[in-house]
Amino acid sequence: QVQPVESAGGSVQAQPGESLRLSCGVSAYTHRYSMGWFRQAPGKEREGVAVIDDGGTATYDDSVKGRFNVSGDNTKRVLYLQMNSLKPEDSAMYFCALSTGRLPEPLRGIFYDYWGQGTQVTVSS
């Protein structure tokens, strides 16, 4: 079965204050969907970071508002997470996820059906 969500995987690094961009591809799925970015640091629960629903509305966690931007390229079927002014506390494994249904709470992972493999983001000096 083809996995609808594909992320680059691997790891990326940045110093505090720098920027990174993550991308995630969507394949083998043609219905309307919403997509989001989640992260999980060691010893912490997974948390929603940024979501863009099927109508194009974005939702952000308070910890990243004003610094992160989620966007999608429907033609290329790619989801992006632009992360600016990075902080050490942004270090985590980042996952993209796809939801085929409604999102009563967009930043909760239980509403998502498919997940990418994750990209490790490390922010340190």
Side-chain angles (χ1 to χ4, degrees):
Q1 184 177 2
V2 178
Q3 178 67 273
V5 179
E6 300 172 351
S7 60
S11 62
V12 291
Q13 297 182 356
Q15 294 188 352
E18 293 185 338
S19 299
L20 288 172
R21 189 175 77 163
L22 302 181
S23 62
C24 177
V26 180
S27 62
Y29 196 79
T30 57
H31 299 285
R32 294 175 66 85
Y33 54 85
S34 301
M35 292 197 71
W37 289 97
F38 295 77
R39 66 186 181 187
Q40 186 168 20
K44 295 187 177 181
E45 293 186 356
R46 182 182 63 194
E47 60 179 358
V49 175
V51 171
I52 186 165
D53 68 19
D54 59 0
T57 299
T59 302
Y60 298 91
D61 182 75
D62 287 344
S63 65
V64 304
K65 281 181 180 177
R67 300 189 299 120
F68 288 14
N69 182 68
V70 60
S71 63
D73 184 328
N74 290 333
T75 301
K76 296 181 180 179
R77 305 176 70 79
V78 179
L79 179 75
Y80 300 103
L81 182 66
Q82 178 67 41
M83 304 184 291
N84 301 320
S85 301
L86 283 163
K87 303 176 181 180
E89 51 263 44
D90 293 320
S91 297
M93 183 71 78
Y94 282 70
F95 302 90
C96 62
L98 182 152
S99 172
T100 61
R102 295 180 62 250
L103 294 177
E105 296 180 63
L107 294 176
R108 288 193 66 190
I110 61 173
F111 297 110
Y112 292 77
D113 307 288
Y114 302 100
W115 293 79
Q117 64 186 57
T119 299
Q120 178 65 44
V121 173
T122 302
V123 183
S124 69
S125 55

